[in-house]
Structure formats: structure tokens, C-alpha cells
Amino acid sequence: MDATANHPEREHPGKETPREEVETVTIRFCGDSGDGMQLTGTEFTKSTAIAGNDLATFPDYPAEIRAPAGTLPGVSGFQIHFSSRDIYTPGDAPDVLVAMNPAALKTNLPDLVAGGVLIVNKDAFSDVNLQKAGYGQNPLDDESLARKYRFFKVDISGLTERALAGSGLTSKEVALCKNMFALGLMFWMYGRPMEATIAGIRRKFAKKPQIAEANVKVIHAGFNYGETAEMFAHKYEVKPARLPPGRYRNVTGNQATALGLAAAAQKAGVRLFLGSYPITPASDILHELSYLKNYGVTTFQAEDEIAGIGSAIGAAYGGALAVTTTSGPGMALKTEAMGLAIMLELPLVIIDVQRGGPSTGLPTKTEQADLLQAVYGRNSEAPLPVIAASSPADCFGAAYEAFRIAVQYMTPVILLTDGYLGNGSEPWLIPNVEKLRPIEVKYRRDPEGFQPYARDPKTLARPWVIPGTPGLEHRIGGLEKDFTTGSVSYDPQNHERMVRIRAEKVAGIAKGLAPTEVFGKPEGDLLVVGWGGTYGALHQAAEQLQAKGNRVSHLHLRYLNPLPPDVGDILRRFRHVLVAELNLGQLAKILRATYLVDAASYNKIQGKPFKIAEIVNRCREILEPDGARA
Amino acid sequence: MDATANHPEREHPGKETPREEVETVTIRFCGDSGDGMQLTGTEFTKSTAIAGNDLATFPDYPAEIRAPAGTLPGVSGFQIHFSSRDIYTPGDAPDVLVAMNPAALKTNLPDLVAGGVLIVNKDAFSDVNLQKAGYGQNPLDDESLARKYRFFKVDISGLTERALAGSGLTSKEVALCKNMFALGLMFWMYGRPMEATIAGIRRKFAKKPQIAEANVKVIHAGFNYGETAEMFAHKYEVKPARLPPGRYRNVTGNQATALGLAAAAQKAGVRLFLGSYPITPASDILHELSYLKNYGVTTFQAEDEIAGIGSAIGAAYGGALAVTTTSGPGMALKTEAMGLAIMLELPLVIIDVQRGGPSTGLPTKTEQADLLQAVYGRNSEAPLPVIAASSPADCFGAAYEAFRIAVQYMTPVILLTDGYLGNGSEPWLIPNVEKLRPIEVKYRRDPEGFQPYARDPKTLARPWVIPGTPGLEHRIGGLEKDFTTGSVSYDPQNHERMVRIRAEKVAGIAKGLAPTEVFGKPEGDLLVVGWGGTYGALHQAAEQLQAKGNRVSHLHLRYLNPLPPDVGDILRRFRHVLVAELNLGQLAKILRATYLVDAASYNKIQGKPFKIAEIVNRCREILEPDGARA
Amino acid sequence: MSANPLPVTPPLTKKDFQSDQDVRWCPGCGDYVILAQVQRVLPELGIPRENIVVISGIGCSSRFPYYMNTYGMHSIHGRAPAIATGLKVARPELSVWVATGDGDGLSIGGNHTIHVLRRNVDMKILLFNNRIYGLTKGQYSPTSQVGMKSKSSPYGSLDAPFDPLRLALGAGGTFVARAVDAEPAHLTEVLRRAAHHKGTAFIEIYQNCVVFNDGAFDYMTEKAAREETRLVLTHGKPLVFGKAKDKGIRLNPKLEPEVFQIGREGDLSQCLVHDETSETLAWILAHLQPPKFPTPVGVFRAVSAPTYDAGVHEQEEEVRGKKGAGDLAKLLGSGETWTVS
Amino acid sequence: MSANPLPVTPPLTKKDFQSDQDVRWCPGCGDYVILAQVQRVLPELGIPRENIVVISGIGCSSRFPYYMNTYGMHSIHGRAPAIATGLKVARPELSVWVATGDGDGLSIGGNHTIHVLRRNVDMKILLFNNRIYGLTKGQYSPTSQVGMKSKSSPYGSLDAPFDPLRLALGAGGTFVARAVDAEPAHLTEVLRRAAHHKGTAFIEIYQNCVVFNDGAFDYMTEKAAREETRLVLTHGKPLVFGKAKDKGIRLNPKLEPEVFQIGREGDLSQCLVHDETSETLAWILAHLQPPKFPTPVGVFRAVSAPTYDAGVHEQEEEVRGKKGAGDLAKLLGSGETWTVS
Ligand SMILES: Cc1ncc(C[n+]2csc(CCOP(=O)(O)OP(=O)(O)O)c2C)c(N)n1
Ligand SMILES: Cc1ncc(C[n+]2csc(CCOP(=O)(O)OP(=O)(O)O)c2C)c(N)n1
Ligand code: SF4
Ligand code: SF4
Ligand SMILES: [Mg+2]
Ligand SMILES: [Mg+2]
């Protein structure tokens, strides 16, 4: 909420609350996981999208399914960042914090920017709840809050109850509506359209109209409260962003991934087969795809991750576009089977929605620490392409691209996304189906001169031959195979030749890549390098630094193996190279080994994405080492 | 057989065959896998060891259990290299080839050095066998053989039959004795003592004295044939090597590994627990240990590799020295559980006897391509120490050292050996039990101030607390844990702290390492770097180059993660660094990333060890680039 | 690692088995009941708390060890039986318990479960069967009924479910039982029996997941219906159920079970009599399913058989008896040796 | 990926199913017999060769696909059932066969095996049971008898073995059978039955490993003993065996099977009559073991039940029927959308 950093007078309310224009706002809704914060956030998002802002969101669930009500581990949050400009992250820190109970206040208040708007449901600050949150005394009585923030105590629960007096709802049902009050208040404050939300509620509760109307009523109550309470000094306007024209929808990364996969199969004209075992935060891809049975999409919930990839290998052998989805620990279990897919040279997409580790780690938190596992984590020389998505919406294109490479080069491909991308959302310009790059599936059918491992001279791909093709009966397997016939071969020279050609095939993918784009000048003092879900933070950090005249550029790698051919040159054109990753320096290791460039690392391993400011500060330290030391 | 490179006159036989002194000989016995070549080789090895030579052996089995008799895939070979000097490899190429059938001749002849001794069992060159081996005509009729080699056609089968005429053995039993004829002949040719072999045979066939005596008779027949046949111009003498004094035995790498594990547990005074699932070439460790039930050794043959490591984790939690053994594909399956062991910070040794890959690959062949999997192949930041054994006998010390590190630092440790080490053998100076470095196991028993994750300030190890200890009841698990209490913690800062301290603990192991030894001058033109089973070839290559005045040194790394602190300095003191590995350059990747040193790679991926000459040649190309190009 | 001398301690109480961690299951989750019953039974066993270890995999149910003030490990998904095997074999004096779910123990961990049962390793496996993946928020599991709509089966699941007891019997289970969270007293009884069994005790516990599969077992837990829909097994007692105890189970000529009205359709003597040692009967009982049959609860099968862990130690003793305790120097110097001087 | 139009071909012969690879099992290995019988049965089925796929794991037995001139995959250890499931679900028109061993299918691959059986995916599983790990040169397997001395159990194995058929029944197998390499004609008959079964057909084939476990099944394969030691199951026929057909199997009052002398100890009417559709009987038969009982061979159980693969496609049809064939543009544009101009 850049434009409002200077405190407006709180003592000056007016009937006609002025609407102040701001460029960018970050709001965080937080409360008990039973308080419906995810729904509140999603509805606000929808409405903000319709208002034409660019936006990005970040939900933050508790690890427990239902932690005991009112406790710290039970806090659930949803952050939305929206703007009249391009937006790339869900925001470093909220400008507005809506806290529905003491536990939520306790865990989230440290993030609120100084001078930000703080709205609390004061009715929830009962002794019991204060105790559960570990507050010795009621923080609402603390005067410093009002000094540090624009602080509003609202009796949300009570107002909700009053709004629904006589509605015939049980008090439990009434309590469940209070999030709608907060939503309505925010709708008022940011001038959001409410129609879509209201229509959606009526659809959702079509069979319980009483509930639907109660919710609608409470939204209005919240809105009207803002309008009438003479409490809020300002309402704000965030003008629509100048987004490229077209039809938009909001997607999470997992939805976009699912759509990308389905789109690839539809374009290729073949069945999509997903073999998967549920795991947080990847399960939603399975959920999404399991709805698409009328799209030639088969989802198979396997008994474990090995059967997940195993079944996908079987389906790929049968001619399907096959994919398996998982997260870190499940990825570890699939590595033996990946080796088989590499030997068989069948197309297959393996998606790892990375999460905090090692081991079970922080399953609901994000991290980027499976890169080395993806690139190197298999027995023997088992190369395969690895690509990464850089934003929720980008997951669509990345998934699509994964299949394109898999089919063109007859190889398993790993796509890395992460929990932050998977659960986060942003507006997505719905692509024109006609214009999607074609994916050409050509099964070999001709028995003439057929050799299972004869290769396409350009791509080095072997033919895709599927059972059911007369005259091409043959056997494949995990033992080393003859260079041409694919029969088992123990010949030493043949082995070396095969190991090398498999490596060459994967390395050769780089030749087909478009020149790598650098954001900023092609040379300079500092190149910030990243990959995957940190795109937004790095991009905006570079933008800020560039705006201040720094010679800083940003390189974001989609292709992690093989690396694009021009990366070495790009790196060498900068005085400093900083690789920023949510791990201990994994991409940096690869770049250093490949290019012998003294790339420095900036690492964060907290289960959370980078903040833009963190990147900016680190860059400043590099650019002005003395200043930083001072 | 260096000393005999110039052909002696073959036409000059004398009753008293002269005994010519040679320094070093490589003999390869080969024949059908039913011909008992492994036994022949093993017996010759035993006898050679007793004769006091240094030696190294390399068995080469067919992939099939019993490939059809007489076919090319059914050929089995056993090579022994022995010398009056130190020996480090089983020899590049045989000086003497004993071929028991056409298939063996066909597959092995290309390896025989020019001018070498070629002995064939001419009776086996029947039409059927020639056809099975794919010979259009009888190669024994080819005169060029006699020109290129010292070529001896011996009617081994016939002579064996004659020796056993009237023995009452069936013709099948007689045929099974013919390898003993070849053995006897070689005993004669190299003046080996036969007593141990003969005594061994009598022991082995104690219940079938008829068979025992037949074997003994045929050995003598072979010996006497050499003595009397006026066919062999020379017999040879290989003087005893000047080995360090002490008691020796011959061990394979897998035996030495098993002994090292058992010794560690005995010295530590705790139970050894092996949880394993059979896989070539690692199974022999399981076999060896399963005999040692009276040594407090428990072997558990698990249902799969995951249960293998799982059970070992359980046993480690219970206080045992726990180990799991496997090879590449099994290693891939264990990676998720390794992550758990890293989180639990329990001591555990994971042994990977590497084999040719990827996938099932070349299961009976050797390779060094699991290094990157060992170092990086787990989800998220999951560091653990990785060490490697460098020779069959060295497996003892390496296994012992793995446990020492595991216990001292409370960490899983990966030990890499390979098929070449595991199956190869060499004489081993039996260590003095008293002098083995102590392994101190201290279970925490004191409830006072107990915190499951409080660390030793020096090693950063947490305490080892075992169930059954009153007052220390606590829970551990795979979720991220609090820095001190070990309770589940989702705190972002704590996570970063834990990720970093786990990395620091492993990195800190380097501090405890002795200075790295370089073979040769500490600086120079070329440093040949290797790790694991290639030690012998690299060492001898460096020796040869040094002898010719080249400024070449050899660095062999036992500690692959963390790298010893002085490695960077060592690398930088050489004009060229060449990393020679049986993979596509895995250690080179690590060294380049760590030290930004432009290390070149020499790679071989043929399921076979390096030859000394291959290394020498590659080094020469680097040292004299023009010469090489000329 | 030798057995610790057991200190003389005052008898333990339920409270002694409660850890200091906040229990984090959803309010109303059946897991609470199971936890309480285990904490109730353990003190009765007279086993020092430090000799008890609870090992779990991953899932809501697998958080169990955190709440038990014993030794415990919350391991990785599906692997608890394997880890427990290693622990029990290395430390046979410990009392080892496994807490697992229908996903953890039968989906990803199915193989370890059946192999533990086959080997008869002495441990107690509590399989919390809520017929759903709880922790991952509601996908169908290998025990979900055909047609179940879940996050991953929006049009209904097509997978025929396992019957966990049949699977356990097929794997050679020596103690196979079923209990249900809604009948804590009976659950306690079954737990007690399991605790005293030497070998693998496999207990399927029907557990209500209030969030993702609420009411899955209502048909047999609701007071009103209970007497007609579930059958309590008692060794040596006829298989009789119904409010009026008027229904029995007998075999028809095809050896298939059928319900009959005692008196009207046959007399009590035709009724099958429960026998925990009969392999055949346990199998037949495991086929009794609604709506045609009441759901049996109790001990289906309990037989004594050698345990793997005891076998390992007996064999070690035996070998030691024959060969003497191992001497390291001898071992290293075994085989053909020679001396260089 | 649509079904290929089946070309009109002359009837195939055994030879058509022989690949050009040299068969590399040990001379005398039972695997040869099994291969020959499969190659004999397949031509009878009228399935075009290109529509047959054989998938295996790793093991001697798992080299099977190399020798079959069909499509085939020699995959990784234990995973063949999972791979076959993916293939069959993606391509239901194919005839999918799995070749596996007691190690491959019951040790590392046990979980996939039981899950395939549970789901009743339409495939034929040939489990070559030689009660040993052949390829890795002779360790005991999950079907090795207690006490077996092997490379990894020099003092005798302590693991109670699985009975593969009991396990298959416990997992819900709809077709469960046993045959033995030494009786090729009977094996052929069982293979034929399996080939015609819709759903998972699980056939345990006793197979002699001449190198590492020679003679394991001699007791029931040697001509002299055979009539007394094995029992050929025929649907609808009484369980009678013995050279003189003078022995029968009946149930005692504890529902346990017993052998009786027909005539002397009871009459034929007491004899159990084989019924492939009886769940109980298959279970009882799976318990008949030497030395007290003859070993049954033949089809223990064969019932018809929905297959998973067919279910998947029916559900897809149903959804397509309701929602119409998916339209990609509609899909991408679904949900709340808005337009920026
Ligand atoms: C290797 C791996 N795969 C998948 C997961 C995700 N996961 C955690 S628990 C679970 C299923 C839990 O179901 P169940 O065992 O029935 O336990 P419940 O939560 O129902 O008690 C899954 C799929 C994981 N943690 N690790
Ligand atoms: C992941 C993995 N683990 C272990 C092995 C080693 N291995 C290959 S086959 C086999 C057992 C084979 O036994 P079985 O299935 O009974 O087949 P058989 O050789 O007896 O026919 C083992 C342990 C492997 N190839 N891969
Ligand atoms: S999700 Fe279900 S099983 Fe998990 S804690 Fe909640 S109620 Fe219990
Ligand atoms: S080892 Fe045994 S199972 Fe394997 S091929 Fe030889 S005889 Fe057959
Ligand atoms: Mg469950
Ligand atoms: Mg076998």
C-alpha cells in the first residue's frame, strides 16, 4: 500500500469516506482454520480479478487437518497482493491484516508493515482464546498497537449475530458466517464488485437457501458497516491493471498444471494417463484431473509412488501421454523406475511439487531443494531433462512444454513446481487452443526396416512403437541394449556408446531452445539468477534496483537440464553473479561446475518464498559492499 | 610378463626346462561357465599368495546363471596378476591365456598381449563347439596364432581322461576334472606350491574321496605334463614380493567389507545388524555376515531394499551398529528412508556395491556411476558423508571407518565400493585387533538435562538414546524438529537453523581428517585424481609416468563428502587436473563446483576397470599434446 | 544394548502414558478414543514405560506416538512395520507397537504389513481404518467402498477394497482381530488380548474420520442398530446376535455362511461356535459383511506359533553353542593364511 | 491408440510365439516347460500376436518376455503388476500377461501383486515359484520352507513362508490356481482357463530350479508318488486321490480338512466336492500341504467380478454421456472468467 505509507488522520472521519487511489495492496486474512479464511481469500481474489487488477495469492494452511480451535498451530492464512501494475508475488508483507482471533493476531502481526491497517474481531478475544494463543493479557488493550498501526477493533462476531437475528440459524451456523462480514468490509474498503461472490454463494448453497441468504446478508452487513460506522478514515481504489487484453481466469499452479497436461494430450490427440499417489502439496493435480473423465483423461490412484510411475510407464508403452505427480519423498521413491524409463526411452512426465524437507520435513511449506535430486538422483548415468515453472499460471505452459519435449525426444522429463506455486494463484490469460504449439505424436507403424532403437538423426529419439501394431513385435527392458536392435547386449563398447548417446540425446535438447531472455541489460554489475517459483520476487527486485539506476539484471532459468547453450556467455557478462534459491545453493552448484563461474548464493530455507526486499537488500550488499558493512 | 617380451626359441626344448625369472605375470583362465574356471583361478591365487607374491584378481562371470554350454555368453573368466613387486590391479591384459573351449578363445583372445602364452584345450574344438562359438572354421588351424603368440595346443580333455582311466568315475565326472589339469600345468609353469590346493580338495571332498583323489591325480598329471612334454620352452619364476611382514590372507572386497563391519561392531561392543535385500554384486556381504551368528551379528533378509534400510533404522534406534547393503537400483529405492535417517540423526552405514547402469543395466559388471546419487540423490537438503574403498582389501578399513564416522557424528554414512572391488581379491595383511582404532559407543543414560537434539559442541552430534533407558522416553520422527527439544516445529527460523546445522555437522567431519596424501610431488604438470576402485590403475599409471620423468602425481579420494579441507590447494598446485572415473565425470562435477578448477575428465563406461595403459596414454596426451596429435 | 535391569517402580497409570504434546487430531476424531484405550491398557501390562516403543508411519493415525509418553518414532509413510522389525529383532526385550492407517499400512505399506505377518514378528499392529486418507485431506483408500466419492474419485471409486482381516489371514497372521472406536470397552478388551499375544497381533480398528468420511461405521455403532448389525465374537460361544439374541450364523451346504432365526429356522446347535484356533472359521467370519450379515468384532483368530525375533536369537544361541562365542582375531585370521617375514 | 483393425491372419502356431533370442535358462530348468506351454496355449486364443504383451520384473523367470515373439517388457524388480496395470487401463483391448517369480512377485513386488488382485485388473499373472532366488544365485525366498539352508541362511531360514494362494485369496483374487512344470498337460489346461478369465488370473506354477533348489517338488512330481501326493481339482468333482482313488478329503467338526479312506472310514458322500465359486472351499484347499495332505493343483477359485480396467472405461463413457466429450477451449475457459480489453 505504497501510496498510504504516511499516516492519514484517524480522527477525521466523514460521512462520505474519500476513496484514495493506491497502486498496490497486500491483504492477509487470518483466523482459526475453522473460520473459513481460505474461502474468504478466494472470494476476495475472484472479485479483485473481476475488478481487473493483476494479483497473486498465497494460502498458508496449518499442517493439521483440524488443529484444536483457537490454538497457534490452528491458524490459517490467505494473502492476496493486487495492483494496477504487473504483479509477480503475493507481496512481501501485508498492508492490511484481518485477524479473526488472538492466535491469528499473535502469529501474523509481526508481518504487518508499520502503519498498516489492522482489523481484529474483538469478540474473539475471550479469556479462553487468549490463553490458547498464549497471551498473558489482552493485546487489544495494548496502546502501542494503535500507535504502530491503523488499528480497528470490530465486534465482528456480535455484528454477524445481530445481522442474522431471527434467521432461524443455529448459533453454530451463525458463527460460521462471520468470515463473510470481514469479506464484506474489505469489499467496501477496496470497492470490489460483490455480484460474482453473491451469485456463487447462491449456487453453492442452492439446496440450502437459508444458509445462502444468511451469508449474503452478512456480506452486506460488513459492507454497510464500512460505509456507516464512521470508523474508517479511508476507502481505497486500486485501478485496473493494464493487462494484455483477453479472457482471464484465476488459476492455482496445480490447476494450471492439470490444465497444461490435459491440453497437451488433447492437442496430441491421445489419452492422458496419470498414475499418482496422493501427497501434499501435489494431490490437487490428481484431484483436478480426476474430474476430466470426459476428456480422455484417465487417473489411476496407485498403491504407492512406485506403482504411480510404474503404471505411467505401462501407459506410455501403450501410447498414452503419461504423467506421474508427487512431492519430494515420493520423488525419492520413483527414482529407480525413472531409470527404467530412461532405458526404455519412453515419453513420460514426472512432476515434483516441491515441499520443505528433508524427509517428511515441512509438508505444507514450500522449498526448492529437489533440484539436485531431479538432475542427479538416480543410479548410474541416467540423464533426463528437467524444467521448472516460474509462476502459478506458468505451470500451464511448463506442463505443456514437458510433454512436448518428452514426445519429441522420447524421454522422461521432470517438471519441478513447488508448494508456493501449486497453491498460489494468479490471473491467467486463457490461451487460444488453436495457437498452442502442436504436439506431434507419431507411432511407428511401418515394419519395413524397423529397429526398436534406431534413432532419428536430429533428435536422437527412438521410434514410439505401441503394442497392437502388427509386425513390430519386440521386447524392451532395463538391461543394457544393443545400439540398434535394442536386444540385450553385454558388449563393453556398446555400453559406452549407449551411455553416451543417451546423454547426448538429452544434451541435444538445448539446441532446440529459444535464446535465453535476460530481464535488464545483457551485461552489468550483477546478474541475479533464479529458477522456479522465485521468479516474481527476483523479477521485482531487479525492477526496483534497475529503477534506482543499478546495473542489475535477472536471469530466470526454465531449462535446468540441459542448460540453454547461451547461459555461460550470459553469466560471464556480469561482474557478479548471485544465485538466489530456496535451498542451500543447488543451482549454484550446477552453474559453477558447468561454467566455472564464481557464482555466489543467496539462500533461504524457511518454508517460505523470498521477499522482494530480501533480494534487494542482498543485491545492495553486493553492489555496495562498504555501504552494507557500514 | 615384462621380462619375456622377446620370444624365446620355441624349437629349443630341453629336458631340464630352464626357470626364467620374471617380475610380473598376468594369467587368465577362461572356459565355459561349467568348466570351473572360477575355482581354478581361486586355487591358483591361493597358491600364489602362499608363494609370497603380491597379487590381484578379477573374476568375470557371465550374466546368466548357466548360459547354454559352449556359447559365447556362457564364457567365464578369472584373471590373476602377480608379482615380486607391489601390485595394484589385476593386470591390463593377460600374458598367459588358458582357453578351455572355442567360445572362450573367441571372447578372450583379443586381450592377450602380443607374444603372450596361449594354451588351448584342443579337444574342445569340436564342430559343435566351433559352431556355438560362431567360428566358421577351426581357429587352431590358423597359422597366424603361432606367429603372434607362443601357442600351445594341449589335449587337455584327452589327457584328463587318460589320467583317470579306470578310476571308476563317470565320463561326466571325468570331464569336470579337466580344469585341474590346466591348474597343474600352470602350477608347473610358475613353480607354485601345490600342497594347500591338494589339502583343500581333500577337505572339500572329504565325503567323496574318490572324487578328491581324481582331482589330485589330474593336478599332478597337468604338472607332470609340463615337466615331461618337451613342449614348453620355459618355466618361470616370480620371486616373492617384499610385502610388509605379517600374516596374510586373500580377501575379496565383499569379504573384507563384511569383516570390517563385524570388526567395528566387535570393537564397539555392540550388536551388528544387517538389513539387506539380495542384489548382485552386493549379496556376498549378506552371505558372509550370515555365517557370523556367533559374533553378535544379526542378518535380516528383508522383503525389499526399503525394508532393508527400514529395519536397519529400527535396529540403529535400538542401539545396534546397523548397516544396509545394496547396489545401484536398490540404492535408488533407499533414498527416501535415508532422508529419515538424516532427520533422526542415527548412525547407519549404507553400502552401495556399484554396478553398470542405468536401471538394471549390466548387473554383473562394474561402474562408478552412483557417486552423484550418493551425494545428492535425496529430496531436499539431506547431506550425509560419503566415502569410498579403493581396493578389495581396503574395503575392510573403509567399512570400519564408515562406522566410526556414523557413531561419532550420529549420521548415516554411505560407503561406495563396486563390483570390481567386491568380487576382486588381493592379499590382505591381517590387522592386529588390538590396534584397530577404537569405536566408542556411548548411549545417553542420564536424564539430567536431557534434550534429544542437544548437540555435542565439537561434533554437533546429538546423543544416542536407546529405548529401554528409564526417564529418557521421547519421540523422534521425520517432521522438522525443534533445534533442542526435537519436538515437531514448523517455525521458519528453526527450520533454516536445522537445515544449516545438519549441513554443518556433515561438513565438520572434514576437520577431523588426516592431511590428504598425494602420490608423487605436491606440485607439477598433471594431477591424476580418482576415487574408489580405480586406485590401482591410477597409482600404477602415475608410477610409470613418474619413472619416465614426468611431473605427474596421483590424488585418490577416500572422502567424497565432505571433501578433505586441503583438496582445493592440492588441485591448484598442478598445471592440469585430470579426473579419471568409470562414469561420465561425476567427481569432476563436484570438484569443479567446489573449487572452480578446470578439471578435465577421462571416462570409461564399459563395465570394466581402467587399464593402466589407458591412463598412461591419456596423461601423455595431456602432457605432450602435439605428440599425441602427431 | 543388553537388557536394562528393570527398576522397581510403582504401578503406572494412564496418565504416565500421556506425553506433553497437545493432541492435534480434529475434535471428535475417533483417534482420541483409541489413544485413550491404549493408554488405559498399557499400565496393566506391568511393562516399564521405557521398554515400550510405538512406531508409526505417516497419516493422521500415525501421529499416535507423539501422544504416548513412551519411546516412539513417527517414521515415513508405510514403513513402520519394517522399522519395527529391525528394532524388535535387535532388541527382543522391548514391547513394540505399530500405529498405522488404512493408507499407511495397506496402501504404500501393504508389503511390509504382510511380510511382518508372515514372519510373525512379535509386535502389535493397530490399523486405524477410517476408509479414507485423512491427512492428505480426503482421497479414497484401499478400504474405501466401491462408489465412494472422494477428492480423487469425484465420480465414485472403482477399486474393490481390501478386507484387512482377510488379507492378514492370507498372509498367515497368528492374531487377527477387529474392534471399533465407538465401543471403547470392547476395544480395550481386544487390545489387552493383543498385548498378551506372542507374535504379530493385527487389530483392525474401525475409526470414524469426522471430516472426510463421517459416519462410515454408524450402521454398526449407533446404539439403536448395533445389536442387529454387529456380532461380538467370544471364543467357545455360538455366533448369536440380535437384540433378542435370536439370530445365529450357520453354514449352508456350499460351506457359505447364512443367518438364521434361532428357533424358527433352526436350533442353536446348528449355530457356528466361535473357535479362535480354527483357520477356516476366521476366514468365514472375515466374509461377514453388511447388509446381509452383522459385522463381527473381537478376536477372529489367535494361535501360537514361533516368532521370528525369538527364532533369530535362538539360532544365534545355537550357533554360539556349537562354535563358541566369536573371537574377532580368529575371524580376521580365518581361511587360508600365510606369513611374510 | 485406438484399437487396431484386426487383420485377417492365418491361425498362429506355437512357432509364431518363439522369438529369435537364444533361451538362456540353465539346462533342465523348469522355466522351459512353462515357456513351451504358454507358447502352445496362446495360438489357441485367436488373439493377434501384436495384441499380446508380456511384462515381467527381474529374476530368471522374468526373462520370459525375451523368448516370446509378442510385445514385451522386462522391467524392474517387482513392478511388473503396476506397469501392466497402467498398460491395461490405457489399452484395455490388449491381452496382458505378467511373468514373475516368488521373489519378484511376492517379496519386493508383494504389494503390487495384492493390489492388482484387489482391483481385479484383467491380466494373467504367472508366478514361477521355485522357492528360491535363482538369478541372484540362491538366497531363500518368501516361499522357502522354514529351515532351508541357502546362501543367506546357512543355518536354516527362520521365515515362515507365504502360501501364495492364500495370499492371493486374502487379497480378493477372482481366479486363483496352481500348476506344476512337471505336468505340462495340466499346466496347459490351467493356462487356458486363466486366459479366458476376465480379471486377474493368478497362477502359481511350481517350478524346479535345478541349480539352487533342485527337487523341491519331487515329492509330488515323481511318477511313483504323484497319485498319493497331489490332488487334481475338477469343478463339481469330489476331492478324491490316491492310486486307487480310495482317499477323500472331508471336513471334521472343527471345519478342518482331513483325509479319509473311502469305504473304510467313510463314504464318498462325505467327501468335499470341488466348487470353484466357493470362497470357503478355496481357502480350505489352500491349506492342504504335505506331509498330511496331498497338494492340490488346478483352479482353486474362479468367480466373475467387475474388472478395474473395464470400470474405468465405463465410467469415462458415463461421464462423457452426461457431460459430452470434453472440449479443450471450454475446459481452459471454465470457472469464473473476466475479460480485459
Ligand atoms: C512417500 C509418501 N507418500 C505420500 C505421502 C502423503 N501421505 C501422508 S499420509 C497419507 C495417507 C494417510 O492415510 P491413512 O494411512 O489412512 O491415515 P489417516 O490420515 O487416514 O489416519 C499420504 C498419502 C507421504 N507423506 N509420503
Ligand atoms: C531393486 C532390485 N533389487 C534387487 C535386485 C536383485 N534381484 C534380481 S532377481 C532377484 C530375485 C529373483 O527371485 P525370483 O523372483 O524368485 O526369480 P527366479 O530367479 O527365482 O526365477 C533379486 C533379488 C534387483 N535386480 N533389483
Ligand atoms: S482428518 Fe479425519 S482422521 Fe484425520 S484427525 Fe481429522 S477426523 Fe481424524
Ligand atoms: S538358476 Fe534355477 S531358476 Fe534360474 S535358470 Fe537356472 S535352474 Fe532356472
Ligand atoms: Mg485412513
Ligand atoms: Mg524364485
Side-chain angles (χ1 to χ4, degrees), chain B residues 488-501:
Chain B
V488 175
S489 166
Y490 297 108
D491 179 68
Q493 304 296 336
N494 178 76
H495 177 48
E496 174 133 6
R497 206 169 159 209
M498 287 300 281
V499 167
R500 289 193 185 275
I501 199 139

Side-chain angles (χ1 to χ4, degrees), chain B residues 260-270 272 321 347 349 396-409 433-442 464:
Chain B
L261 298 171
Q266 289 271 316
K267 286 292 279 190
V270 301
L272 180 75
L321 285 202
V349 170
F396 178 86
Y400 195 91
E401 171 73 352
F403 262 134
R404 189 194 62 78
I405 297 174
V407 169
Q408 186 173 350
Y409 293 90
V433 169
E434 307 306 313
K435 293 196 179 134
L436 290 172
R437 192 170 171 181
I439 294 186
E440 241 190 293
V441 166
K442 283 178 295 190
W464 195 356

Side-chain angles (χ1 to χ4, degrees), chain C residues 203-214:
Chain C
I203 314 173
E204 176 190 28
I205 306 173
Y206 282 170
Q207 170 246 325
N208 192 35
C209 168
V210 294
V211 176
F212 297 112
N213 198 17
D214 196 21

Side-chain angles (χ1 to χ4, degrees), chain B residues 280-295:
Chain B
T280 305
S283 312
D284 278 339
I285 305 175
L286 166 63
H287 304 160
E288 292 290 333
L289 286 174
S290 63
Y291 274 95
L292 306 184
K293 300 245 176 284
N294 53 329
Y295 283 83

Side-chain angles (χ1 to χ4, degrees), chain C residues 1-198:
Chain C
M1 215 173 30
S2 61
N4 293 289
L6 305 184
V8 185
T9 38
L12 299 167
T13 65
K14 182 176 175 202
K15 243 186 109 97
D16 290 311
F17 286 93
Q18 292 167 347
S19 82
D20 59 353
Q21 296 291 303
D22 293 337
V23 185
R24 298 247 174 104
W25 288 306
C26 304
C29 176
D31 292 355
Y32 285 94
V33 182
I34 304 171
L35 175 64
Q37 300 328 304
V38 172
Q39 287 169 336
R40 178 156 297 148
V41 168
L42 287 184
E44 298 175 6
L45 303 178
I47 302 171
R49 194 170 53 177
E50 65 271 16
N51 279 3
I52 296 174
V53 188
V54 187
I55 301 197
S56 68
I58 301 286
C60 294
S61 36
S62 287
R63 300 193 66 110
F64 197 88
Y66 288 128
Y67 310 135
M68 294 288 303
N69 194 8
T70 60
Y71 283 91
M73 187 194 294
H74 178 223
S75 77
I76 43 176
H77 199 30
R79 315 304 172 188
I83 294 171
T85 296
L87 177 62
K88 180 71 188 177
V89 170
R91 299 285 307 280
E93 75 276 21
L94 299 174
S95 170
V96 177
W97 297 64
V98 166
T100 183
D102 43 325
D104 190 64
L106 296 177
S107 194
I108 192 168
N111 206 32
H112 308 304
T113 300
I114 60 177
H115 280 269
V116 159
L117 286 161
R118 165 172 84 80
R119 294 191 186 103
N120 200 29
V121 186
D122 185 20
M123 66 176 74
K124 323 297 151 217
I125 301 180
L126 313 183
L127 186 123
F128 295 44
N129 186 2
N130 55 9
R131 296 188 178 159
I132 196 81
Y133 290 172
L135 190 74
T136 47
K137 306 199 176 172
Q139 299 81 13
Y140 69 102
S141 90
T143 58
S144 297
Q145 308 291 78
V146 170
M148 178 188 225
K149 290 192 177 161
S150 75
K151 283 239 183 83
S152 54
S153 58
Y155 306 111
S157 146
L158 299 164
D159 288 39
F162 277 137
D163 179 282
L165 298 193
R166 258 180 278 168
L167 186 67
L169 291 169
T174 56
F175 181 98
V176 173
R178 181 188 289 140
V180 50
D181 58 3
E183 295 198 58
H186 179 258
L187 168 57
T188 311
E189 186 46 45
V190 171
L191 289 170
R192 199 174 283 128
R193 287 284 314 278
H196 287 106
H197 178 70
K198 266 268 157 229

